[in-house]
Amino acid sequence: MLRPDINDLLTQTGPGTPMGDLFRRYWQPVLHTDELPEDGCPPVRAKILSERLIAVRTPEGEYGLMDEFCAHRGVSLFFGRVEEQGIRCPYHGWKYDANGQAIDVPSELNNSEFCANVKLRSYPLVKVGDILWTYMGDPEKQPPLPTWEFATVPSGQTYTSKRIQESNWLQALEGGIDSSHVTWLHGGGPKGTGLEADPLFAGSRGNKYNAGDVKPFFEVVENEGGLLIGARRNAEEGHYYWRVTPWVLPNFTMVPPRGDHPMHGHFWVPIDDENCWAWSFDYHPTRDLTEAEREAMIAGAGVHSKNIPGTYRPVANSENDYLINREKQKTGEWFSGVEGIAIQDSSLQESMGPIVDRTKERLVATDAGIIKARQKLRRAVEALRDKAEEPVGNVPEHQRIRSVAIVLPADQPFVEGIGDAFQAREGVGQTTV
Ligand code: FES
Ligand SMILES: [Fe+2]
């Protein structure tokens, strides 16, 4: 349980909030490159950390991210015309370059002098992998560009999708590091595990261990940049199955791998305090994704979702009770009655309300990872606010990380057993069961 002021501290990310300041020290995903597909294409609205922004790609190929609203009388630049070197407001023709600097105010006699004093708030927008990233903090403190493995492997090896989640970012993050719900929420099915029904999860020995032990034991270990959260379940005689979920501050998590399937993970990015983007990626460190894998991802299998065409809202959403199938819930084919891993997660995380009241929860031993992550987040927020202490997780050394699934002898601590398997190493495959 959390005090109400601490719940506010961790969940509020708008401008000027302490957690908002922390988030503004990291590169965050804003758009998929597909959303600005070509030079001179239409602008795209992008709301992040409670700031309404507009993203542009000029005819010359320059990306820009700036305040959505025209400095003159507040028209949304979503309706703007993308023109040579920038975007022009359609109301009275003020024009801005990709950095939000006014470059033409036609009504003014002394046009250039007037322009010099008009600039929209703007942030860098940079392509790394299939993602356009932004950094919204003090330019002097801008960290190196992101080096996450999913965004830096060759494009044939990786796939990223996103969906809107109607909940605060922390609820989504806490789902991402909560390995104990896998047995329940994602369970069911004829083989005792709903995961077997998913083409991106099927066939791994880990599924059997997941289904066979409903009392996982948690061990949480400090790691540079965040935590390694180990969940231990029974395996063959004298052995344990360990699933190791890394969390890197503030909002990056990875799901432990299964068999030779691509590895997956998430960024949970605040849109505002009541909504977030669930960015979901899949990549294989050493081989291209197969056509079948890519098709399954596009169709919404694994950690991805089937969205309403032209939007990022899942087809199964709060308005239709996530298309819950009571019959399948009853027979146990889908333990929760909801289809698909991503929607199983979003249905329950959204059901808690946009910002869950953490003063009322009753945490247990399997919530160890969540408790530790909250403590670490709180420390990072307060250290930045009170002592201007540099945050962790925004440098390449902390981003070369992987999840791990491994069977170890019962007497071996997981940190020892996994060695450096949790580090991303080019050309080296994942450690998986
Ligand atoms: S409101 Fe944009 S030019 Fe007038
Ligand atoms: Fe889940």
Side-chain angles (χ1 to χ4, degrees):
M1 125 177 187
L2 281 186
R3 288 197 334 239
D5 56 316
I6 305 300
N7 201 26
D8 290 349
L9 182 80
L10 300 185
T11 53
Q12 297 173 356
T13 59
T17 60
M19 181 55 90
D21 289 344
L22 184 76
F23 261 99
R24 285 168 176 78
R25 297 295 294 275
Y26 296 81
W27 285 96
Q28 291 289 320
V30 191
L31 297 177
H32 196 280
T33 46
D34 286 356
E35 296 178 77
L36 288 174
E38 58 190 24
D39 294 347
C41 62
V44 177
R45 294 187 190 97
K47 188 175 180 190
I48 172 170
L49 303 177
S50 299
E51 295 189 38
R52 289 182 63 173
L53 305 170
I54 197 89
V56 296
R57 180 167 167 181
T58 68
E60 296 75 27
E62 200 183 343
Y63 289 112
L65 184 66
M66 66 191 87
D67 191 344
E68 182 185 334
F69 303 100
C70 179
H72 178 211
R73 278 170 44 208
V75 158
S76 170
L77 293 172
F78 172 76
F79 297 100
R81 287 169 55 94
V82 174
E83 296 179 357
E84 211 173 281
Q85 270 155 18
I87 183 166
R88 192 183 291 278
C89 178
Y91 210 5
H92 316 93
W94 291 27
K95 183 173 170 181
Y96 305 91
D97 72 10
N99 299 313
Q101 177 65 53
I103 50 174
D104 188 22
V105 176
S107 61
E108 291 306 294
L109 284 179
N110 206 337
N111 191 338
S112 56
E113 202 174 300
F114 187 86
C115 283
N117 295 314
V118 180
K119 186 178 181 305
L120 296 174
R121 188 166 29 95
S122 78
Y123 305 112
L125 188 65
V126 178
K127 178 182 177 323
V128 177
D130 297 330
I131 315 281
L132 298 173
W133 306 77
T134 195
Y135 168 79
M136 296 164 68
D138 177 355
E140 305 242 305
K141 298 283 187 186
Q142 184 174 308
L145 286 174
T147 52
W148 307 102
E149 194 173 30
F150 83 94
T152 52
V153 292
S155 62
Q157 294 174 213
T158 186
Y159 174 79
T160 304
S161 70
K162 67 173 185 177
R163 63 174 166 82
I164 285 179
Q165 177 157 325
E166 293 165 354
S167 84
N168 180 263
W169 78 279
L170 188 59
Q171 247 149 277
L173 169 78
E174 290 178 350
I177 57 178
D178 170 21
S179 209
S180 76
H181 77 271
V182 177
T183 311
W184 296 100
L185 176 60
H186 305 312
K191 294 179 194 164
T193 164
L195 301 172
E196 280 299 321
D198 191 299
L200 297 167
F201 282 65
S204 145
R205 229 174 354 127
N207 296 346
K208 197 179 66 184
Y209 303 136
N210 259 138
D213 186 352
V214 296
K215 285 197 172 72
F217 170 81
F218 276 75
E219 196 176 327
V220 185
V221 174
E222 290 283 336
N223 188 41
E224 284 185 327
L227 297 172
L228 294 175
I229 300 161
R232 189 189 81 189
R233 289 178 170 87
N234 294 323
E236 285 75 19
E237 192 58 39
H239 288 79
Y240 287 127
Y241 168 59
W242 283 95
R243 294 174 58 71
V244 182
T245 302
W247 165 60
V248 180
L249 271 82
N251 59 339
F252 174 90
T253 58
M254 276 186 78
V255 183
R258 291 178 196 272
D260 189 47
H261 290 302
M263 312 179 72
H264 16 248
H266 302 276
F267 262 103
W268 314 100
V269 181
I271 296 174
D272 52 32
D273 292 345
E274 301 198 341
N275 297 278
C276 65
W277 288 114
W279 283 91
S280 306
F281 59 80
D282 250 293
Y283 73 96
H284 197 289
T286 58
R287 65 161 171 84
D288 278 349
L289 303 180
T290 67
E291 212 156 293
E293 285 170 344
R294 203 173 276 280
E295 270 168 27
M297 291 165 197
I298 292 168
V303 294
H304 306 282
S305 57
K306 204 181 293 167
N307 294 340
I308 298 169
T311 77
Y312 294 97
R313 181 150 214 242
V315 170
N317 58 53
S318 58
E319 266 164 45
N320 53 31
D321 289 326
Y322 310 91
L323 305 170
I324 188 167
N325 184 323
R326 295 291 183 183
E327 194 48 38
K328 295 201 177 192
Q329 186 184 44
K330 197 171 201 166
T331 61
E333 187 176 335
W334 302 335
F335 179 76
S336 75
V338 168
E339 185 179 17
I341 292 161
I343 305 303
Q344 287 161 2
D345 284 325
S346 67
S347 60
L348 300 199
Q349 290 160 17
E350 292 180 0
S351 79
M352 299 155 90
I355 307 176
V356 70
D357 182 354
R358 291 183 175 77
T359 64
K360 291 189 182 146
E361 21 168 65
R362 299 185 56 166
L363 301 180
V364 292
T366 52
D367 297 312
I370 290 169
I371 295 168
K372 206 80 208 268
R374 290 179 186 172
Q375 287 168 347
K376 219 172 151 85
L377 270 176
R378 182 182 167 188
R379 269 202 304 273
V381 172
E382 292 176 342
L384 177 66
R385 183 192 62 192
D386 303 336
K387 297 182 245 163
E389 209 172 278
E390 290 302 306
V392 296
N394 57 6
V395 288
E397 308 86 90
H398 299 168
Q399 297 175 354
R400 306 297 294 168
I401 192 114
R402 276 182 194 170
S403 52
V404 178
I406 195 168
V407 172
L408 295 173
D411 58 359
Q412 192 172 26
F414 91 84
V415 214
E416 192 183 287
I418 64 174
D420 55 5
F422 66 92
Q423 277 162 3
R425 283 158 302 162
E426 213 181 316
V428 179
Q430 69 271 46
T431 301
T432 180
V433 174

